[in-house]
Amino acid sequence: MRLSDPHLLAALPALGVERVAGASLAERTSLGIGGTTDLLLIRKHAALPELVALLRGGGIAYRFLGGGTNLLVRDGELPWVVLHLAKQEQDVRLEGTVAFVDAAADLGRTVTFCARRDLGGMEGLIGVPGTIGGALRMNAGAYGMQIGSYVREVELYRAAEGRNETLRDEKISFEYRHTSFAPDDIMLAVKLELPSKPYSDILQGIRICNEKRRASQPLHQKSAGCIFKNPPGASAGRMIDALGLKGFAVGDARVSDRHANFFINAGKARCADMLALIDQVRERVRVVHGVELETEVILWTEERL
Ligand code: EPU
């Protein structure tokens, strides 16, 4: 979608919002799939309520893009503009064992930054690509830990209220790859309370997780991590593997040879290829294992949210 309303375009600079016309989401997502649209880069959290009010007033649909690492986006000209938080110069600040982190901060860098200052707990997340905001929204987890365990407060744009708010942890529920945030809430910053640990111990944990990840996941190929959530008490990857589906492909969308719950863009996969692959694998699992797999990756494939 291309913004053309002169009133709206004229209001952006005063809000500190930069318009990137015709941005490619294929270039901004780890799967390398997605069409084009105008992207609005937000430099100040405080500008969000006014920006969203302007978009709503103009009847312009919008979606919020974080790190783009857990996302499948449709092709062609997209029917909504995309909002994106600019990376702050200083995005992590520590006070004792508490870390104040901007949502646009890189997850891995944040884990490392805290580790160097003897704050641990998030070792398992080191190889998870994406931002702190995305990790919060999905309650990212790996190797027995999840980010939600360390959250004390979240600053967010609450779409239902049309304003920025701070929520304390007791007001948020973090479950397996699910949180109580509304789909159109936008994460802005988080306060994490982390356990004190010597850097050398944290590093040891990080090394172990990195090794496990390298051995089992296709880290250097275009993917969005695991495509399906694990059903209670089972592993989606193991079930897909048991069906002999590693390497199964629709166009350039392919089930990884290394981990069957990772679907790869092996070349020029289109969104439709990836969706067809998801549907076909889900159907095979349903027929043989009697389980309906739910996608873990967020789908921006429909016109509406
Ligand atoms: N397995 C197979 N074949 C495969 C893949 C896995 O037999 O192709 C078996 C493994 O041998 C193992 C079991 O299935 O016995 C579980 O596999 P793994 O340890 O790789 O864990 P997972 O359940 O597939 C989950 C998360 C990952 C996270 C890892 C490590 C989900 C959907 N996936 O994978 O998260 O990195 O544990 O903790 O919860 C993600 O969220 O995108 C993601 C990759």
Side-chain angles (χ1 to χ4, degrees), residues 143 176-177 217 226 228 230 235 238 241 246 259-260 296:
Y143 304 113
Y176 167 65
R177 297 297 193 276
Q217 300 182 359
C226 286
F228 297 111
N230 283 338
S235 158
R238 186 184 290 151
D241 193 1
K246 279 185 171 166
H259 194 300
E296 198 263 351

Side-chain angles (χ1 to χ4, degrees), residues 48-98:
L48 247 175
E50 203 174 327
L51 175 64
V52 172
L54 275 171
L55 294 172
R56 283 186 176 160
I60 296 160
Y62 68 91
R63 291 187 176 200
F64 180 81
L65 175 72
T69 54
N70 196 39
L71 192 61
L72 173 60
V73 184
R74 62 195 263 162
D75 294 312
E77 186 66 32
L78 303 171
W80 3 267
V81 295
V82 163
L83 312 186
H84 186 65
L85 287 183
K87 214 171 137 24
Q88 305 291 318
E89 208 150 285
Q90 205 213 350
D91 48 20
V92 191
R93 182 172 59 82
L94 299 181
E95 265 177 36
T97 59
V98 172

Side-chain angles (χ1 to χ4, degrees), residues 125 135-136 139-140 145-152 169 174 192:
L125 291 178
L136 268 180
N139 188 20
M145 61 79 45
Q146 52 179 30
I147 192 167
S149 314
Y150 303 105
V151 171
R152 291 297 161 260
D169 55 347
F174 290 99
L192 299 167

Side-chain angles (χ1 to χ4, degrees), residues 101-107 110 122 130-137 147 190 192:
V101 194
D102 190 80
D106 180 80
L107 176 61
T110 304
M122 300 199 291
T131 60
I132 282 282
L136 268 180
R137 160 157 292 290
I147 192 167
V190 65
L192 299 167

Side-chain angles (χ1 to χ4, degrees), residues 180-300:
S180 52
F181 301 118
D184 47 1
D185 285 346
I186 297 174
M187 307 296 115
L188 298 174
V190 65
K191 179 175 164 183
L192 299 167
E193 192 169 353
L194 299 168
S196 291
K197 267 192 203 178
Y199 180 43
S200 55
D201 290 6
I202 303 173
L203 211 53
Q204 177 77 359
I206 285 176
R207 286 208 181 103
I208 294 170
C209 293
N210 268 342
E211 263 166 45
K212 284 192 192 163
R213 204 181 285 282
R214 261 197 299 272
S216 64
Q217 300 182 359
L219 303 183
H220 302 295
Q221 285 175 294
K222 289 182 187 171
S223 84
C226 286
I227 280 281
F228 297 111
K229 292 183 184 178
N230 283 338
S235 158
R238 186 184 290 151
M239 287 193 284
I240 300 166
D241 193 1
L243 293 171
L245 289 174
K246 279 185 171 166
F248 177 62
V250 176
D252 277 340
R254 181 180 304 159
V255 178
S256 160
D257 292 319
R258 186 169 277 238
H259 194 300
N261 198 14
F262 278 64
F263 291 11
I264 305 298
N265 173 5
K268 292 198 162 79
R270 295 170 310 138
C271 180
D273 300 328
M274 196 52 80
L275 278 178
L277 186 65
I278 291 171
D279 278 351
Q280 290 181 33
V281 171
R282 189 183 350 231
E283 180 60 10
R284 292 282 297 278
V285 170
R286 192 184 64 74
V287 169
V288 178
H289 295 286
V291 173
E292 183 82 24
L293 291 177
E294 191 188 325
T295 47
E296 198 263 351
V297 68
I298 306 287
L299 303 178
W300 284 8

